[in-house]
Every structure is written in structure tokens, then in C-alpha cells.
Amino acid sequence: MTLPHTLAQARSALDEGRLTSVDLVAAVQGSIEARESSVQALVCTTYEMAMDQAVKADARLAAGERTPLLGIPLVLKDLVDVAGVPTTAGSKVLADNVPTDSSVVWSRLEAAGSVLIGKANTHEFAYGGTTEPTRNPADTSRIVGGSSGGPAAALAAAYCLGAVGTDTAGSIRIPANLCGVPALKPTRGLVPSGGVVPLSQTLDVVGPMARSVADLAPLLSVMAAIEAGPARRPRSVGLLQGTFPEAQSVSRAVADTAAVLRRLGIEVVDVELPGFTESVFDDFTVIGFEATIIHQQWKDHRHLYTPYVRERLAAAAEVTLQQYEDALRAGERLGRAVDDLLEQVDVLLLPGVPFPASPAYDEQVDVDGQWEDRDTGLCRNTAFANLTGHPVLALPAGLDGLLPVGVQLVGRRGADFDLVDLGSHLEALLPPGLPPALRD
């Protein structure tokens, strides 16, 4: 059988008895067997555990239980601890790490009846934007983005119906945009990070990823242990100016999104946030300073790091305490500026990744005729929200050929479910962001 496209579709089929959770596990196994040799999204599979969980979920369904995630197959970024399952953080440094306790977020998902298909790849210790060796399901010669590239690729390739990622400079939103799936960077602190391997304790956020925007709501509700209240539709959206250069397809995605907002009766006005793209360097400063402290525990294993991460940690060790404190203060100022903007409008609209997925191994990208460092370019429209702590929805909004492109919606602190509600209305009216070859 083919995996239902959305969690909501699977939920209906399970509740009506048209499918079982065991059926869903079999469907994702088929997808993995068909595509994983070229996509390489997973670090490990947990089929035996998944089947046991699926059988128990089917028994709960047979007894009349009806809850949003019961029997739903998920994958977790390989930073999220599950008791008895390796957490390697994509690194040889943690090759033998098998936690005895589960993270808070998985404990909640497991209690809700979720089924774990496996761990999905991350850029080593989440410290990078390409998630090697994972490849984009839309075109396996191209990057998937990162560092939550494994979960995004797994969703696009129909390995699961939901996923858990982490975001420190855009690490949930970047691969979501490049793979054509929706994802949410929640308000800072909304989802607990206990039992998740850290990169930057100030900036890290744990969040949900899915195959439709509406599916983010039940995932977030369980992960954050909160119920969604009545949705508040925005009356005005601020279209953030000064974000160029972008690929023409990305500019078109933003314009299409603005047009759909207007069709929904929402006012769209131009707004400015000076310095928000340059704030990527403040984000990198904070990450670097805090990463060097975290990685002191593995200082005797530096020879096991990939050269890329070893070099980034070496460069980060040069960051001074003064530079770190200055970057934190800059982030606080930017946060107040975003708060002020969101007093004038209800939501901000801006591009996501400014270009579609680039060829693997290309360290420079051509963005509408201008060459740019790939890794900085990936993050320059996303990193500011990690500094400020606001929730951001990554929304698929069209294609560049067969490559997905997307936009971002930024909301007020705590307005996470409102963003998901708005995004679900937009998703129904925007061009599809998932390549036809990948649609089930």
C-alpha cells in the first residue's frame, strides 16, 4: 500500500478502521526500501520497536481510543534520545552512545501512541547546513539542507508522517524549504529540550516537521504538552523588505503568498527590519562560543570529528567573551524590534532559503547573478529568529523546475498555533511545493 499523504488522512483511516498502524509501518518500510539507497536520510531503523508499538496502537484503537498521534509513524533527528536506541548526533564521537533514558519530547510522543520508525540524519552535532550524506529526494545530486536534513528528506520520501527536528540558525526551516515540506520553529522554550544533544543552549529549539501544515498542530500539542486554543486569523501581514538577493523562483513564491493573503482578505503592507540578514553573524558568534563549551567534554576525541566540524570548532574557539556578550545584546535589540513590528502587523512574511537546493559539494551559489557563500546564504533569512525567539513557520510555496522553494511566516511569541492555522489556509491555495514525482 501507499502511505497516506498526510497525518490527518492516516488519522481518519485508522479511526474508521480502513487502515491499521501495522499497515502504516509496512507502507513506510516499502518507501524506505525503494528510496533509501539514494536518499540516505536515516541513521538507523527501529522496525522491531515500531512493529511492537504499532500492534499496541492497534489494540488501543480496537478498544475505542481516539487520539491524534495514536499509531502514527514518526522519525526523530539523531540528536533526540530514545532509551535503548543509539544517539550518535551524526558523529563518530558518539558512535557507541546508547542512552538509558528517553528525551522529554519522545517520552510525550511515545505516551501519545506514536510509532518510531528510526533516527534521521543530522549534520554532525547539528553544526552545518548540508547534512551529509543525505540527498534531496527531489534531485539526489543536490543538498537537502540542514542540520535537520534527515527528517525533512524522510518526510518528502514518505518514510513517515511526522518528524522532530531542531533549529539553531534555521536548521528546521532550511531543509523544510529545500525539500518542500512544512515545519515549525516554535517559540523559544515552548518545547522542552531535555535529552536532546545541544549545539547552543541559548538558541536551540526543538520543533515539529510534517507533510502538511495542519499536521504540525497535533505534533506540537503533544511535544509542548499544550492544547491549541481558538485560532486568531491575522488582519495584517508585514511583507519584509530588503531581503535580496533571491532566486527569481523564491521572489515569485513570496509574491504568490502575498497575493493569496490578499485573497483571504488580509492586508499586506511593506515593513522593514534593518540588519536582520546581517544578524546571521551574531547567531554564528553565539553558536560558536557555546558550542566550544559544550564540546569540551569530547576534547580528547577531536580526531574523530569530520574536518568541517573540527575546523568550525577551531574557529569558534577564537570567539571572545566580549564578542559573545555583544552578540547576545544585539539579539535582544533585534527581538525588541521584531516585537515592535508585530505591534503594527500581526505576522511577518519573508523568503525562506533564498535559492533552491544547490548541487552537492558546491560551496558557492549563484543567487540571481550574485555569487554567495552557500552556508551563510542558507541561514541569512532564518538565523535572526533564533536570536529573537519568535515562532516561524516554514511553508512550501512552489517549485523552481522540480526543486521546492518556500517562504517563512513569523508570529508573535506564543502564537505558534495561529501560524499553523494561517499556513494551512495558505497551503490550500499556493502552488504545491512537493515535486510531482514524490507525491503519493
Side-chain angles (χ1 to χ4, degrees):
M1 63 161 284
T2 301
L3 186 71
H5 182 65
T6 69
L7 190 159
Q9 291 170 353
R11 176 80 276 133
S12 295
L14 288 170
D15 291 347
E16 294 168 9
R18 292 183 283 112
L19 284 178
T20 66
S21 183
V22 169
D23 291 334
L24 296 179
V25 172
V28 299
Q29 281 187 268
S31 296
I32 292 167
E33 290 170 3
R35 293 180 171 142
E36 180 61 2
S37 62
S38 58
V39 174
Q40 300 182 74
L42 301 178
V43 174
C44 69
T45 55
T46 53
Y47 291 147
E48 185 175 345
M49 175 186 288
M51 191 57 68
D52 179 63
Q53 292 166 338
V55 168
K56 290 177 180 176
D58 286 336
R60 290 166 65 177
L61 286 162
E65 185 173 341
R66 298 291 183 267
T67 52
L69 299 186
L70 181 59
I72 298 296
L74 308 180
V75 302
L76 307 177
K77 186 176 183 178
D78 188 28
L79 301 176
V80 182
D81 281 352
V82 175
V85 178
T87 297
T88 72
S91 179
K92 293 180 180 179
V93 174
L94 295 183
D96 299 322
N97 177 46
V98 180
T100 56
D101 296 310
S102 290
S103 60
V104 176
V105 70
W106 174 246
S107 295
R108 291 175 175 178
L109 291 166
E110 184 178 34
S114 302
V115 173
L116 181 63
I117 296 300
K119 292 287 195 74
N121 195 26
T122 173
H123 201 110
E124 185 179 28
F125 284 108
Y127 207 178
T130 57
T131 314
E132 303 298 337
T134 304
R135 291 288 176 263
N136 199 307
D139 180 345
T140 54
S141 71
R142 293 176 180 265
I143 65 169
V144 72
S147 62
S148 301
L155 286 161
Y159 296 180
C160 56
L161 290 167
V164 176
T166 67
D167 193 309
T168 311
S171 296
I172 284 174
R173 294 161 285 154
I174 292 165
N177 273 177
L178 296 185
C179 290
V181 299
L184 181 76
K185 184 198 83 69
T187 301
R188 182 188 295 154
L190 185 65
V191 178
S193 59
V196 179
V197 178
L199 175 62
S200 165
Q201 292 173 326
T202 297
L203 304 182
D204 291 348
V205 180
V206 181
M209 308 172 74
R211 285 162 61 85
S212 79
V213 176
D215 292 343
L216 296 168
L219 289 164
L220 179 64
S221 183
V222 170
M223 292 165 65
I226 57 174
E227 293 295 326
R232 292 168 292 184
R233 186 73 64 82
R235 292 172 295 178
S236 61
V237 170
L239 177 54
L240 199 58
Q241 302 298 299
T243 64
F244 53 84
E246 289 116 24
Q248 293 181 10
S249 56
V250 176
S251 297
R252 184 170 58 251
V254 175
D256 287 347
T257 306
V260 171
L261 286 165
R262 294 186 181 100
R263 285 170 56 190
L264 293 172
I266 298 169
E267 182 183 18
V268 179
V269 299
D270 292 346
V271 296
E272 295 184 354
L273 182 63
F276 93 93
T277 53
E278 293 82 358
S279 69
V280 66
F281 298 108
D282 290 318
D283 179 283
F284 288 172
T285 296
V286 175
I287 292 172
F289 188 89
E290 295 185 349
T292 55
I293 295 172
I294 290 166
H295 281 260
Q296 280 297 309
Q297 63 188 300
W298 300 301
K299 63 182 180 180
D300 294 335
H301 302 283
R302 289 291 171 90
H303 62 287
L304 296 175
Y305 287 82
T306 59
Y308 182 92
V309 171
R310 190 184 307 123
E311 291 167 9
R312 293 197 79 170
L313 285 168
E318 301 300 317
V319 175
T320 67
L321 177 60
Q322 185 64 56
Q323 290 170 327
Y324 170 66
E325 292 175 342
D326 288 346
L328 289 176
R329 282 192 288 268
E332 291 169 357
R333 289 193 298 270
L334 190 63
R336 291 192 293 271
V338 173
D339 288 337
D340 290 343
L341 268 184
L342 290 171
E343 288 297 316
Q344 304 169 37
V345 296
D346 299 309
V347 172
L348 301 178
L349 166 64
L350 71 155
V353 180
F355 45 87
S358 58
Y361 311 117
D362 284 4
E363 296 183 0
Q364 297 286 314
V365 289
D366 183 350
V367 186
D368 196 27
Q370 299 185 44
W371 287 98
E372 182 172 4
D373 174 72
R374 179 200 62 201
D375 290 357
T376 303
L378 287 168
C379 300
R380 67 171 158 85
N381 290 342
T382 58
F384 79 100
N386 296 89
L387 288 165
T388 70
H390 292 81
V392 188
L393 176 70
L395 179 67
L399 297 171
D400 185 319
L402 287 178
L403 296 174
V405 293
V407 300
Q408 298 181 92
L409 297 172
V410 183
R412 294 170 182 150
R413 303 174 199 271
D416 303 64
F417 288 106
D418 293 339
L419 283 181
V420 172
D421 178 73
L422 174 61
S424 65
H425 286 88
L426 291 171
E427 183 179 51
L429 298 171
L430 283 167
L434 193 64
L438 293 177
R439 290 187 212 146
D440 296 331

